[in-house]
Amino acid sequence: MSYYQPEMECATRESMRALQSERLVKTVGHVYRNVAYYRQLMEERGLTPDDIRSLDDLHKLPFLTKNDLREAYPYGLLALPLEEAVRIQSTSGTTGKRVVAFYTQRDIDVWEECCARAIVAAGGSKRDVVHVCYGYGLFTGGPGLNGGSHKVGALTLPMSSGNTERQLQFMTDLSATILCCTPSYAAFLAESIEQHGIQDQLSLKAGIFGAEAWSEEMRHDIESKLNIKAYDIYGLTEVSGPGVSFECSEQAGMHVNEDHFIPEIIDPDTGEVLPDGVQGELVFTSISKEAFPLLRYRTRDLCVLTRDKCACGRTLVKMSRITGRTDDMLIIRGVNVFPSQIETVLMNAGYPANYQILVDRVHYTDTFEIQVEMTPEMFSDTVKEVEAREIELLTSMRAMLGISPKVTLVAPRSIARSEGKAVRVIDKRKI
Ligand code: ADP
Ligand code: ZN
């Protein structure tokens, strides 16, 4: 078994807790002294750094939300003089105005080390060729995995996204062994590879896919099409970028880099901290960042934490795959609907993950349609057969969601592909 930083990845529980306590106390002092926004938040609760003596006091600290970041934009949460920072990255803006995060050189090193842990956990070493087609630029995906690959000493292909022909050419000519991109782009590349009939020219063995939610079914689909093992990786710009957590050889949940980020699960409605094993909203406290440390940042991502012993030997806590974002949950006719539920039904029924959810409001009633691409084989079916398929899918959707969508099967390749995060939901309701 290989690790990038075994002393952290396989530390005993006690030594990890001691390290977390020490770093937490230091971080709270740092932001209290240097960030007026935090000082005020803490003062409003009658807190001073003396109240935070160990990990057990974490719950006393106030939460921070994306709105706080938007309010403090751009410099309000910067904890060092601007001249100490060397990089700015920004969120994708999936849910509204983008926010920015600042990094010192050390912050970047830590972030890249986290990505290096992920690459090594996926079987990567200096003998690999890492093909990175996450977007480069303000988005953290490209720079994060690029830096991680350098730390591992692998040969790095900084492809960025787009230009499929060139992706396929370099992937085959330069014998890429590890592919890093969003799962939806991986599915698209797999589709293009099949189309070109070049599967046997690939040297890929693993993929590191993240930045958006994907299902177990989608994993199997990509794995079989590309003949690789596909690993999940999670992160968010506010907390650093990809590599906050990563999957190991067990492919059953992502190990959180707890020496840098303390995770908590809370009830999104009450803010109450929930025990391990219970699903809720993920909250992170970064404890080693210099330029942009965030205390108890509410990610709005839903998952479960578990501390069961992992066969890979890592002792880092695991988070389950993200089942949704509290803000991508749709409320349709009063019922909560997550795109991930829809995807699970589709993949179980043998459809590709090319679908779009259309929601509108007509005469005060929500309309709800799911458009799903057929595979080329299905497309040659008769109209009657297609109708029968639609009814079958509708029945499974109703069973999963508790409400009835309109299900429409559309021609292969008729739904726009995304090079970054897929756009699954088009909500035209003006509420
Ligand atoms: P934005 O919130 O604008 O999308 P980022 O580009 O920083 O900003 O993306 C971070 C978000 O992407 C996370 O909060 C999460 O919702 C999603 N995400 C990242 N990695 C994963 C993953 N492996 N599985 C599911 N969702 C993920
Ligand atoms: Zn593991």
Side-chain angles (χ1 to χ4, degrees), residues 60-311:
K60 295 180 184 165
L61 291 166
F63 292 117
L64 206 66
T65 65
K66 205 155 193 157
N67 278 342
D68 287 302
L69 265 65
R70 287 178 178 145
E71 219 167 83
Y73 174 91
Y75 302 122
L77 288 167
L78 187 62
L80 286 175
L82 192 57
E83 66 200 41
E84 302 300 325
V86 298
R87 176 91 68 82
I88 292 178
Q89 305 278 168
S90 149
T91 59
S92 313
T94 310
T95 57
K97 187 177 154 191
R98 290 160 186 261
V99 299
V100 292
F102 299 85
Y103 305 72
T104 62
Q105 184 54 51
R106 202 179 139 254
D107 292 335
I108 289 187
D109 283 331
V110 166
W111 170 29
E112 292 178 351
E113 281 164 14
C114 290
C115 290
R117 291 181 190 180
I119 293 171
V120 172
S125 74
K126 63 185 302 228
R127 289 177 298 282
D128 279 291
V129 178
V130 179
H131 182 118
V132 184
C133 44
Y134 284 110
Y136 280 64
L138 283 171
F139 178 53
T140 50
L145 269 306
N146 190 94
S149 174
H150 276 227
K151 294 261 183 223
V152 171
L155 180 59
T156 313
L157 261 170
M159 298 298 300
S160 197
S161 55
N163 198 337
T164 314
E165 297 298 319
R166 190 177 59 195
Q167 300 282 358
L168 301 187
Q169 185 200 333
F170 278 26
M171 190 182 290
T172 49
D173 289 354
L174 303 176
S175 307
T177 54
I178 299 181
L179 176 66
C180 305
C181 59
T182 57
S184 51
Y185 196 52
F188 171 66
L189 286 175
E191 200 176 63
S192 310
I193 286 166
E194 262 185 350
Q195 228 179 345
H196 286 72
I198 52 170
Q199 290 97 323
D200 57 353
Q201 293 173 37
L202 296 179
S203 308
L204 290 176
K205 63 175 186 188
I208 303 179
F209 305 133
E212 63 183 2
W214 51 312
S215 57
E216 197 56 34
E217 294 78 12
M218 189 160 169
R219 182 201 319 255
H220 292 147
D221 191 44
I222 298 173
E223 285 192 330
S224 70
K225 285 196 174 129
L226 291 178
N227 193 20
I228 59 171
K229 278 190 93 174
Y231 299 88
D232 203 353
I233 184 167
Y234 168 89
L236 63 168
T237 313
E238 299 91 310
V239 175
S240 71
V244 170
S245 65
F246 61 96
E247 255 183 354
C248 62
S249 50
E250 295 305 295
Q251 294 178 294
M254 295 174 276
H255 289 288
V256 178
N257 284 314
E258 283 181 278
D259 48 332
H260 302 304
F261 317 106
I262 303 174
E264 295 172 277
I265 294 287
I266 62 162
D267 178 326
D269 297 324
T270 63
E272 179 202 351
V273 178
L274 300 174
D276 288 349
V278 178
Q279 167 158 304
E281 180 181 346
L282 185 59
V283 171
F284 278 112
T285 298
S286 57
I287 47 173
S288 49
K289 282 177 73 180
E290 296 177 333
F292 201 69
L294 296 186
L295 303 180
R296 302 195 88 199
Y297 180 64
R298 293 184 59 159
T299 63
R300 305 195 281 188
D301 293 325
L302 300 171
C303 72
V304 177
L305 292 179
T306 46
R307 293 200 175 271
D308 300 341
K309 200 164 183 286
C310 187

